[in-house]
Amino acid sequence: MFPQEWAMSDEVRQALHNRQAVVALESTLIAHGLPYPVNQETALEAEEVIRAAGAVPATIAVLAGVPTVGLSPAQIAELARREQVRKASRRDLAAVIALQQTAATTVAATMALAAAAGIRVFATGGIGGAHRDAEPFDISADVVELARTPVFTICTGAKSLLHLPRTLEILETLGVPVLGYQTETFPAFYVGDPVPTLPVSARVETPQQAAAIFATHVRLGGGGALLAQACPAELAIPQVEFDAWLAQATHQAQVQGIGGPRLTPFLLARIAEASGGRTLQANRALIVANARLAAEVAVALTAQAAELRNPGRF
Ligand code: PSU
Ligand code: MN
């Protein structure tokens, strides 16, 4: 529970009270990851498929200092349209709340707020991770939050612009299970070619198996876990095409001196331009697919919720 004021939609409050399946959704991909109006359309479509699969969506952000769990369609529209929304990762949460600011939440920050609200399942596009260059040194707080916060995150791996082998190693070091949904390999976001050198820690075939592993991990005192599935095949981008766009975008970032939290949104926007919108289409499709899978996992998990509420009984 939060020590200060926070807001929860009636729908989410009711669902949590009745111990029904709830799926958290992040807001950084709305404010920074996708351009208007694709961001708004994607956010609403993700909510729609979660409801269709029998769960309740809870899009999370901080609005004028109030952590808000279950944004209304109007609040999503506002976040989608507004320029210059702050991006809050884990370290920023206390400041934006205490200083009564509005911020979109990253994977790390969304996990923290979801856990505080009692939500165990979370859908996103790709997690943050270790960036490719040694300089500037940059590892996302997402991997640390995954290590400590018991929220099951459903994603398409990590963004293709990251150093994926290093990201996977860090997750292993931190003890985070990386499950592949009907796949042996950790997906590279919308890049379709499977990378044999990126094995997942376990392959699962069904939402029930995934839920059982997450519940067991939590019973063992573990933090978060990842469930990764490949980008829908018909929209996936070939590796060589992506590499060319990334090289171009990275060069632009260097020339313009873009770094820190601004780097990811900048690179994603340049790559979307260079691909003529193909990465946007793929990005949208994979987020919606993850929302659907997350809802199925959340429903499967409600059957195991009693165990989750009584950790330490393993
Ligand atoms: N993947 C995307 N679009 C995004 C992000 C990831 O395709 O906008 C966001 C997520 O919110 C993720 C964040 O948590 O980028 C990571 O940012 P950083 O590397 O600054 O921690
Ligand atoms: Mn970073």
Short mmCIF file of all heavy atoms in Angstrom, two decimals, residues 35 42 58 66 104 113 161 187 204 245 260 281:
data_model
loop_
_atom_site.label_atom_id
_atom_site.label_comp_id
_atom_site.label_asym_id
_atom_site.label_seq_id
_atom_site.Cartn_x
_atom_site.Cartn_y
_atom_site.Cartn_z
N PRO A 35 4.56 7.29 -31.36
CA PRO A 35 4.04 8.63 -31.66
C PRO A 35 2.51 8.65 -31.63
O PRO A 35 1.87 7.61 -31.77
CB PRO A 35 4.55 8.88 -33.07
CG PRO A 35 4.65 7.53 -33.69
CD PRO A 35 5.01 6.58 -32.57
N THR A 42 -2.85 1.99 -29.63
CA THR A 42 -2.23 0.78 -29.09
C THR A 42 -2.63 0.57 -27.62
O THR A 42 -2.95 -0.55 -27.21
CB THR A 42 -0.69 0.89 -29.19
OG1 THR A 42 -0.35 1.16 -30.55
CG2 THR A 42 -0.02 -0.39 -28.73
N ALA A 58 -5.06 -2.41 -16.15
CA ALA A 58 -4.74 -1.29 -15.26
C ALA A 58 -3.54 -0.55 -15.82
O ALA A 58 -2.39 -0.91 -15.55
CB ALA A 58 -4.45 -1.81 -13.86
N VAL A 66 -0.12 12.01 -8.23
CA VAL A 66 -0.93 10.91 -7.73
C VAL A 66 -0.66 9.63 -8.53
O VAL A 66 -0.97 9.57 -9.73
CB VAL A 66 -2.44 11.25 -7.80
CG1 VAL A 66 -3.28 10.10 -7.24
CG2 VAL A 66 -2.73 12.54 -7.06
N ALA A 104 5.04 9.59 -17.05
CA ALA A 104 4.81 8.25 -17.57
C ALA A 104 5.78 7.32 -16.85
O ALA A 104 6.91 7.70 -16.54
CB ALA A 104 5.07 8.23 -19.06
N LEU A 113 4.77 0.22 -8.76
CA LEU A 113 3.42 0.68 -8.43
C LEU A 113 2.41 -0.46 -8.52
O LEU A 113 1.50 -0.56 -7.71
CB LEU A 113 3.00 1.84 -9.35
CG LEU A 113 3.82 3.14 -9.19
CD1 LEU A 113 3.35 4.21 -10.17
CD2 LEU A 113 3.74 3.66 -7.76
N LEU A 161 17.84 -2.65 -29.88
CA LEU A 161 18.97 -1.74 -29.91
C LEU A 161 19.89 -1.93 -28.71
O LEU A 161 20.93 -1.29 -28.59
CB LEU A 161 18.50 -0.28 -30.01
CG LEU A 161 17.43 0.19 -29.04
CD1 LEU A 161 18.04 0.65 -27.74
CD2 LEU A 161 16.63 1.31 -29.67
N PRO A 187 13.58 -13.32 -27.49
CA PRO A 187 13.33 -12.55 -28.71
C PRO A 187 14.02 -11.19 -28.68
O PRO A 187 14.23 -10.60 -27.62
CB PRO A 187 11.81 -12.37 -28.73
CG PRO A 187 11.28 -12.97 -27.49
CD PRO A 187 12.40 -13.44 -26.64
N VAL A 204 8.10 -22.71 -22.01
CA VAL A 204 6.77 -23.14 -21.61
C VAL A 204 5.86 -23.16 -22.84
O VAL A 204 6.09 -22.43 -23.81
CB VAL A 204 6.15 -22.23 -20.52
CG1 VAL A 204 6.97 -22.30 -19.23
CG2 VAL A 204 6.04 -20.79 -20.99
N TRP A 245 19.22 0.59 -40.00
CA TRP A 245 18.48 1.72 -39.41
C TRP A 245 19.09 2.13 -38.08
O TRP A 245 19.19 3.31 -37.76
CB TRP A 245 17.01 1.36 -39.22
CG TRP A 245 16.30 0.98 -40.48
CD1 TRP A 245 16.56 1.44 -41.75
CD2 TRP A 245 15.22 0.05 -40.61
NE1 TRP A 245 15.70 0.86 -42.64
CE2 TRP A 245 14.86 0.01 -41.99
CE3 TRP A 245 14.49 -0.73 -39.72
CZ2 TRP A 245 13.84 -0.80 -42.46
CZ3 TRP A 245 13.47 -1.54 -40.17
CH2 TRP A 245 13.14 -1.58 -41.55
N GLY A 260 21.45 9.43 -21.95
CA GLY A 260 20.63 9.24 -20.73
C GLY A 260 19.24 8.75 -21.08
O GLY A 260 19.06 8.04 -22.07
N GLN A 281 4.26 -0.52 -36.75
CA GLN A 281 3.24 -1.56 -36.93
C GLN A 281 3.59 -2.79 -36.11
O GLN A 281 2.75 -3.40 -35.45
CB GLN A 281 3.22 -1.96 -38.40
CG GLN A 281 2.05 -1.48 -39.18
CD GLN A 281 1.96 -2.28 -40.48
OE1 GLN A 281 2.96 -2.40 -41.20
NE2 GLN A 281 0.81 -2.84 -40.75
#
